[in-house]
Amino acid sequence: NYRFNLFVHAQVSVYPVNLNSVTFHSGTESLAAHCFEACEALKTLSLPETMTQFGDSVFAGCKVLTSANIPAGTTTIPPSMFNTCNALKNITIPDTVKVIEPYAFSDCDNLKQIVLPKSVHSIDAGAFYDCYSLTSLNLMGFDTTWIYLNTVKIEGSEVSSSIEPSK
């Protein structure tokens, strides 16, 4: 395990390839783009509630990461944040998130369901591209009249085409 007390501004690829767990202390606010990209042994991740800013592809390619928390206070899930996190099975999106940017969860082969809070007002193209196991997309209280379903199209998966808001 490694201890990060300041902002992380470099790819962790300079660290041993067997990095399997990362815990941040309260007070850490952001992670730079690509800083944990391709940490293929990273299994567990604990993000403090103070961390609300993430760079692009920050955890992309963490192939054995099974779950992750997105801290409350986060407003944007950046491009490719969890791209190709093949083992990711569940993710909780807090009700502070407003935007899910392109390819945020693309190629998450084992992601089975996702609940999107009412606060989300923009889901960019490819956000769930090639999530083959995704069978449930719950739009908590969305007014589906303004959601363009092609922006949440899940290529290659068999998600029901009848997406309805929950009551």
Side-chain angles (χ1 to χ4, degrees):
N1 289 345
Y2 294 88
R3 211 176 223 187
F4 296 92
N5 292 321
L6 300 173
F7 298 111
V8 178
H9 289 288
Q11 281 188 298
V12 175
S13 59
V14 298
Y15 295 100
V17 293
N18 63 351
L19 178 68
N20 62 21
S21 177
V22 178
T23 301
F24 292 91
H25 297 283
S26 184
T28 306
E29 296 175 356
S30 66
L31 289 177
H34 309 283
C35 68
F36 288 98
E37 185 173 17
C39 284
E40 293 185 3
L42 186 62
K43 290 181 183 180
T44 61
L45 180 63
S46 179
L47 303 174
E49 291 300 311
T50 55
M51 187 178 292
T52 58
Q53 300 292 316
F54 301 93
D56 296 359
S57 304
V58 68
F59 301 112
C62 295
K63 295 181 178 186
V64 296
L65 184 65
T66 57
S67 66
N69 64 307
I70 297 174
T74 302
T75 59
T76 300
I77 299 174
S80 301
M81 183 173 185
F82 293 102
N83 175 272
T84 317
C85 289
N86 302 96
L88 190 65
K89 293 180 182 177
N90 60 63
I91 192 85
T92 301
I93 298 177
D95 61 6
T96 55
V97 170
K98 296 177 181 177
V99 176
I100 300 174
E101 293 192 334
Y103 304 100
F105 299 98
S106 64
D107 294 304
C108 290
D109 296 341
N110 287 298
L111 188 61
K112 294 187 186 301
Q113 72 172 32
I114 194 155
V115 176
L116 299 175
K118 189 175 183 176
S119 61
V120 174
H121 62 75
S122 176
I123 303 169
D124 288 338
F128 303 102
Y129 185 82
D130 280 348
C131 290
Y132 295 112
S133 298
L134 190 62
T135 57
S136 174
L137 182 60
N138 187 342
L139 306 174
M140 297 295 292
F142 274 92
D143 175 0
T144 56
T145 59
W146 55 264
I147 293 178
Y148 296 100
L149 291 182
N150 64 332
T151 65
V152 294
K153 184 177 180 185
I154 297 147
E155 299 292 334
S157 68
E158 296 181 15
V159 174
S160 171
S161 59
S162 60
I163 298 175
E164 297 181 17
S166 59
K167 305 251 186 263

